[in-house]
Amino acid sequence: MINPRITRRTPVIMQGVTGRAGRSHFQLMRAYGTNIVAGVSPRAAGAQIDGVPLFGTCAQAVAATGAKVSILFVGADQLLAAIDEAVGAGIEMLVTPTEGMPVHDALQAKRLTLARGVTWIGASTPGMAVPGEAKLGFLPDSTLAPGQLGIMSKSGTLSYEAGYRLVQHGIGQSVWIGVGGDPVKGVRFADLVPFFGADAQTEAVLIIGEIGGTEEEEFAHALRAHAFAKPAFALIAGRSAPEGVSMGHAGALVHGVHGTYAAKKAALEAAGATVFGSLGEMTGGIVAALRR
Amino acid sequence: MYLLEHDAKTLLAAWGIAVPAGCLVESVDALDEAALPPGPWVVKAQVPAGGRGKAGLVRAAEARADLRSLVAAMLGQAHRGHTVRSCRIESRRDSAHEAYVGFMLAPESGEVRILVAASGGMDVEASAAVRSKLAAPQSQALAAAVGELAASAPPRVREAITQAGAQLGEVFLRRDAVLVEVNPLFVSADGGWLAGDAKMVLDDNALGRQQEVSTLLAARSHAYAETWLKTQHGCDYVVVDADGELGLLTTGAGLSMMLIDELRAAGIRPYNFLDVRTGGLRGDASRLVAVLNWIAEGRKVRCVLVNVFAGITHLGEFARLLLQALGQAPVLKVPVITRLVGNGLDEARALLGEAGIVVEPDLDKALALVRAALSKQHDTTQVRQR
């Protein structure tokens, strides 16, 4: 079973630590509490950043630190190779915020990680966090607070907005996972149902979905298959989008009857989930259900 | 990008896949100059959406005069949120067997889903005649799967599906496709076959390694405005309602989509979708200037809402860029309401406040301000008309 519950002690390596974005998020993640024990940089091997050693390869970083988790700030054209390297080095969970990964590369990365039982979060994700412990990626600190709601989201910004509003009403998160908006990705909503079902800190889950694909329908199916006994909430963006045009996220493309808002809403409601029509409705509904 | 049928067929033909002879016209007058294929014809409106047949956007033509009237009738029609801007005129096949072959992503397993129907028709996708199978994203695996799915078809049809399927599978892999579908695949009495229709969705993220597709995009940029803008400006922009009254300068795909949903539910007509990607501005206002100028093209736009939830971006820096951009895009003369929340809000509020621009951190309150701005203008318009 996938277990994304990292702590402030979990050792993490970072691939792509020397780039512009990598450098800045390295500092932000450490400031939040993430235990980054090594960086990987073929060009800067042997050097250090803020006291953290850099290695030339993933395998060396893993051998030196025993880390099983990697966060990758690597360009889209190099991402497949970097994932391959991480999997080969024995990494068991990897988070890839990179936007713009070619979908056929994602197919290969999916096969690689599935074959080795590796948990891949991404691509095109703002990352994940266990609030109060650690974060991998760039979920804004202002939206994070320890609490009882498990969040899974295809969209970064919409989840920030939702998380922020709920935190203002006293609802924090147990674990927050951005699955990302790409059509082919690592972890999907449905894959996380067993974890959230068993996780003691999670009292309810919220999925933030979008039109396109079938992930929301798969999630609905998984709720039933795993007899998920906690409240499940959903917010789905894009109900007024035209067919055949993707709005920002490559995955959010409706063609024909596939991926429509109506199909997703019906599947979720049939599985006992509550689908909210707006951010305001969502905040009110979740606060009423969870606040004591 | 969801290719128009004409462009999909051009790509397939370049790959050596047989398609009916055809040409593209973007106006009635262009018919006089067009290199028409042999008649009789079928006239097919070019829009990136299905259901054209039932909407009367695929019609038979016997004489040249029919071509004129059909093209004239189709151009400008709206279909599922798209306007018909061109028509493909093709030689018509009246008596051929129709089959179906499709390839799509299977995101759960990292495989490809192959769909085959030995006999087709307009609704084949919803019918029980379709057989499907998953295969690894490799040429031989795809070809083998097509062969298995066609095994029970009559020999002539089986042979055609197997041949066409192997080539289409290759296109799916080599052109970084998200979807390739041929419906119908015409199979003639002598076993020859032709792709009667072609639906292809290609991966925008792979344009960098698809020279042929990039060339097509550059040559036909007006037909793929969204993808073109993204490659040129690094942001996602879509006009969602040509008569929209509210321009949106927003960041984040999911939040911008949700905002459009909520605005429409509240009776406000947004003009555009935008994910400007504030993280990619890097101190340069030119992308914001471009966006403001595009929004200014909306003939009914009477207000602009800026919505930025700044997780990482510093709002003070964003406010400076926004002011700079507003100064450089003088065409846009409508009230601007900003909803900003996150890092550097106080600085942004001070900067924008000096310029007389309202900053409201609460989204619902910002929408109330938008509604007030729009209705106030309604009143003034009415007064002026009197």
Side-chain angles (χ1 to χ4, degrees), chain B residues 89-356:
Chain B
I89 298 167
E90 251 181 22
S91 295
R92 197 167 82 224
R93 302 269 146 174
D94 283 325
S95 56
H97 177 83
E98 297 189 357
Y100 164 84
V101 184
F103 297 84
M104 54 188 71
L105 302 168
E108 287 170 80
S109 58
E111 292 173 292
V112 178
R113 179 169 295 284
I114 301 113
L115 299 152
V116 167
S119 53
M122 235 190 302
D123 286 321
V124 68
E125 285 146 87
S127 93
V130 178
R131 303 181 62 209
S132 115
K133 195 170 167 42
L134 293 173
Q138 289 143 9
S139 323
Q140 285 172 348
L142 296 189
V146 173
E148 284 176 45
L149 291 171
S152 56
R156 171 178 65 98
V157 177
R158 181 180 65 218
E159 189 58 24
I161 292 176
T162 307
Q163 275 179 22
Q167 290 192 46
L168 292 167
E170 195 69 10
V171 169
F172 181 84
L173 295 174
R174 303 293 162 238
R175 285 289 170 262
D176 280 298
V178 173
L179 178 83
V180 170
E181 219 174 38
V182 169
N183 179 29
L185 178 75
F186 289 130
V187 183
S188 55
D190 63 1
W193 53 269
L194 275 179
D197 196 1
K199 178 167 162 184
M200 284 180 82
V201 181
L202 301 181
D203 180 16
D204 289 352
N205 290 341
L207 279 168
R209 63 189 186 198
Q210 291 293 347
Q211 193 49 54
E212 190 189 350
V213 183
S214 303
T215 307
L216 169 89
L217 176 63
R220 309 246 304 118
S221 56
H222 57 292
Y224 302 100
E226 290 87 17
T227 306
W228 179 245
L229 287 181
K230 185 172 187 166
T231 61
Q232 299 303 299
H233 297 276
C235 57
D236 289 284
Y237 177 83
V238 182
V239 173
V240 294
D241 179 356
D243 291 329
E245 53 196 344
L246 178 65
L248 294 177
L249 202 170
T250 49
T251 196
L255 182 54
S256 304
M257 268 193 269
M258 192 76 211
L259 190 58
I260 290 176
D261 295 342
E262 296 205 5
L263 287 164
R264 287 198 170 157
I268 297 173
R269 295 178 71 172
Y271 173 68
N272 65 291
F273 162 89
L274 174 70
D275 177 5
V276 75
R277 292 165 203 254
T278 45
L281 295 177
R282 301 189 191 176
D284 183 353
S286 57
R287 189 184 299 173
L288 296 180
V289 175
V291 165
L292 291 171
N293 283 327
W294 300 334
I295 290 174
E297 288 171 19
R299 56 186 183 271
K300 296 199 176 160
V301 171
R302 291 180 292 118
C303 182
V304 169
L305 172 66
V306 178
N307 185 40
V308 176
F309 189 108
I312 307 301
T313 307
H314 192 274
L315 289 173
E317 190 197 337
F318 174 76
R320 252 176 241 110
L321 290 177
L322 178 63
L323 287 171
Q324 205 182 321
L326 285 167
Q328 288 174 37
V331 214
L332 191 75
K333 289 192 183 68
V334 298
V336 174
I337 291 162
T338 62
R339 184 278 175 144
L340 305 176
V341 60
N343 295 328
L345 177 61
D346 291 341
E347 193 182 329
R349 204 195 291 259
L351 283 165
L352 293 169
E354 266 175 52

Side-chain angles (χ1 to χ4, degrees), chain A residues 2 34 151 191 231:
Chain A
I2 290 171
T34 310
I151 294 185
D191 300 331

Side-chain angles (χ1 to χ4, degrees), chain A residues 143-157:
Chain A
T143 65
L144 298 174
Q148 67 274 56
L149 183 66
I151 294 185
M152 294 164 266
S153 180
K154 281 183 176 177
S155 157
T157 48

